[in-house]
Amino acid sequence: MSFVLPSLLSLLALLQICNGQESRIYQGFNSGNTLTDYTAKFEDDFVKEFTTMQNLQNAPGVFNSVRLYTNIQAHTTSDVLSAIPAALKTNTSILLGLWTSGSNNITNELDALGKAIDEYGTDFANAVVAISVGSEDLYRLSDIGIRQNAGIGAGPDAIVRFINETRSFIEGTSLEGKPVGHVDTWRSWVNESNSAVIEAVDFIGVDIYPFFENDTTIAPNFYVNTFDNAVPIFRDRWEQVVNASQGKDVWITETGWPFKSEGPAWGESQASVDFQAEYWRGVGCGDLFGRVNTWWYTLRDANPESKQKFAITNEDLSTEASFNLSCSAVGTGTRNAARSAGGLSLRERVQDIGRWTFAILLGVAIL
């Protein structure tokens, strides 16, 4: 009996983890440091954003986490981004971001981070979920990024160097021990030439947009990017990243569907509020919310260069979104269609593995 009881307790703990009961799951939105006219956001702007996202009507749980792309206030060299005091004021957790593209150093980012550590101390540290060093840098430097005029990127050697510099910088500070990772597109993570970045990170942040999946060169896993294929495209890309992750945690750092798209078409995809709502329900409710750390794209559009608009609320940041955010709005037809296209949801797959493992090991322990 002295052997069986501890084993059962351990197995129960394992089952709780598989059921999502052990560790906190973060959910929130991305937030840039400027508005769509390139003017800087200030503390009041961020407070309004964070207050709105925490009070969204019919939301599936509370959205009280923000992913930032930089620590630096817009149009300054290294001033602390005003999103940080706004997050502390509104009890919003933070996935910090250090912008690394187009530079051979991250001195200004680390300078701003150091100022935030000194000024906000323990409160700041308690709010920080993790630190992302870079955002889609590998994608911008890739062949497809260059073809799509994605901007200046950074290679794997540079990203690894920046990750190591960040870890060294936070040693001995209130942020010591925080996970340090990188955010990039699914295609960047499955590219073997970037494996050194996977080895260097504590977590993988992946951006997945079925709307933009119009590249026919990725057979045999190519789906025409009509909206009907949105869920299977998302799940296929997610699973490819998990398979390449070397066991590292994989978080969703950007995903969403636009309500408006200008300029050239992206394959067969179409933008609309109806599709945006169905994507929220099929991917967000079906696979992510409450199960995987997720920062949705987005509450409020902030990228002046983007021809696609993803905001789920209006420019006045109303707590009433453009569509019903409730997961109970998902009908059985939608659930069944998603399952027939992509199998069980991510949570269901993990739970099934946990239950089977528990049952098998329980039998062994009793014997």
Side-chain angles (χ1 to χ4, degrees), residues 208-272:
I208 302 176
Y209 289 101
F211 181 89
F212 296 118
E213 290 291 323
N214 65 338
D215 188 349
T216 59
T217 65
I218 57 174
N221 293 329
F222 175 72
Y223 295 86
V224 176
N225 64 336
T226 58
F227 183 77
D228 288 345
N229 286 329
V231 170
I233 288 173
F234 174 86
R235 288 181 176 168
D236 175 79
R237 303 325 185 232
W238 164 270
E239 290 180 0
Q240 288 193 54
V241 175
V242 170
N243 290 339
S245 69
Q246 301 179 18
K248 305 293 177 71
D249 287 343
V250 181
W251 302 344
I252 295 295
T253 40
E254 289 183 31
T255 196
W257 194 275
F259 68 89
K260 180 181 179 181
S261 181
E262 301 172 345
W266 287 85
E268 301 298 319
S269 60
Q270 295 181 339
S272 75

Side-chain angles (χ1 to χ4, degrees), residues 16-17 19-26 249 290-291 293:
Q16 285 182 336
I17 292 173
N19 281 325
Q21 299 172 7
E22 183 65 17
S23 59
R24 178 179 176 183
I25 299 297
Y26 296 91
D249 287 343
R291 303 152 198 171
N293 287 345

Side-chain angles (χ1 to χ4, degrees), residues 38 117 193 196 236 280:
Y38 294 99
I117 292 171
S193 66
D236 175 79
W280 173 275

Side-chain angles (χ1 to χ4, degrees), residues 43-313:
E43 186 173 336
D44 287 347
D45 297 306
F46 287 109
V47 166
K48 190 170 184 180
E49 277 188 28
F50 302 160
T51 301
T52 292
M53 74 180 186
Q54 293 182 28
N55 292 280
L56 287 167
Q57 297 178 31
N58 301 319
V62 178
F63 286 73
N64 57 357
S65 191
V66 63
R67 176 193 167 219
L68 304 175
Y69 296 86
T70 177
N71 294 309
I72 300 174
Q73 180 68 14
H75 311 309
T76 73
T77 301
S78 61
D79 289 354
V80 176
L81 181 62
S82 54
I84 291 174
L88 301 183
K89 184 177 291 186
T90 56
N91 196 27
T92 301
S93 64
I94 309 168
L95 175 55
L96 286 176
L98 278 65
W99 190 259
T100 60
S101 280
S103 177
N104 60 7
N105 67 76
I106 53 172
T107 302
N108 291 336
E109 286 284 355
L110 293 179
D111 187 22
L113 180 59
K115 292 174 184 176
I117 292 171
D118 291 341
E119 184 169 357
Y120 300 109
T122 302
D123 289 342
F124 176 52
N126 290 339
V128 172
V129 177
I131 303 170
S132 170
V133 181
S135 177
E136 297 192 356
D137 311 85
L138 302 172
Y139 154 69
R140 293 190 192 93
L141 202 63
S142 69
D143 289 342
I144 189 170
I146 293 170
R147 290 201 307 269
Q148 294 176 349
N149 298 313
I152 301 173
D157 291 344
I159 296 300
V160 170
R161 175 164 56 87
F162 294 151
I163 288 170
N164 292 334
E165 288 177 7
T166 301
R167 281 207 186 94
S168 296
F169 184 84
I170 63 175
E171 284 182 7
T173 75
S174 58
L175 294 186
E176 183 173 4
K178 292 291 183 181
V180 179
H182 173 70
V183 168
D184 227 297
T185 62
W186 72 270
R187 195 187 305 263
S188 300
W189 289 119
V190 302
N191 186 334
E192 292 183 358
S193 66
N194 296 324
S195 61
V197 180
I198 297 178
E199 294 172 5
V201 298
D202 297 318
F203 72 91
I204 288 170
V206 61
D207 299 347
I208 302 176
Y209 289 101
F211 181 89
F212 296 118
E213 290 291 323
N214 65 338
D215 188 349
T216 59
T217 65
I218 57 174
N221 293 329
F222 175 72
Y223 295 86
V224 176
N225 64 336
T226 58
F227 183 77
D228 288 345
N229 286 329
V231 170
I233 288 173
F234 174 86
R235 288 181 176 168
D236 175 79
R237 303 325 185 232
W238 164 270
E239 290 180 0
Q240 288 193 54
V241 175
V242 170
N243 290 339
S245 69
Q246 301 179 18
K248 305 293 177 71
D249 287 343
V250 181
W251 302 344
I252 295 295
T253 40
E254 289 183 31
T255 196
W257 194 275
F259 68 89
K260 180 181 179 181
S261 181
E262 301 172 345
W266 287 85
E268 301 298 319
S269 60
Q270 295 181 339
S272 75
V273 173
D274 287 343
F275 286 156
Q276 185 183 46
E278 284 300 309
Y279 189 79
W280 173 275
R281 294 166 191 149
V283 170
C285 296
D287 284 345
L288 300 178
F289 300 146
R291 303 152 198 171
V292 178
N293 287 345
T294 300
W295 290 269
W296 197 263
Y297 196 87
T298 189
L299 181 73
R300 178 193 216 178
D301 286 305
N303 183 355
E305 302 297 327
S306 178
K307 301 296 184 183
Q308 288 72 41
K309 304 304 177 186
F310 287 81
I312 66 163
T313 188

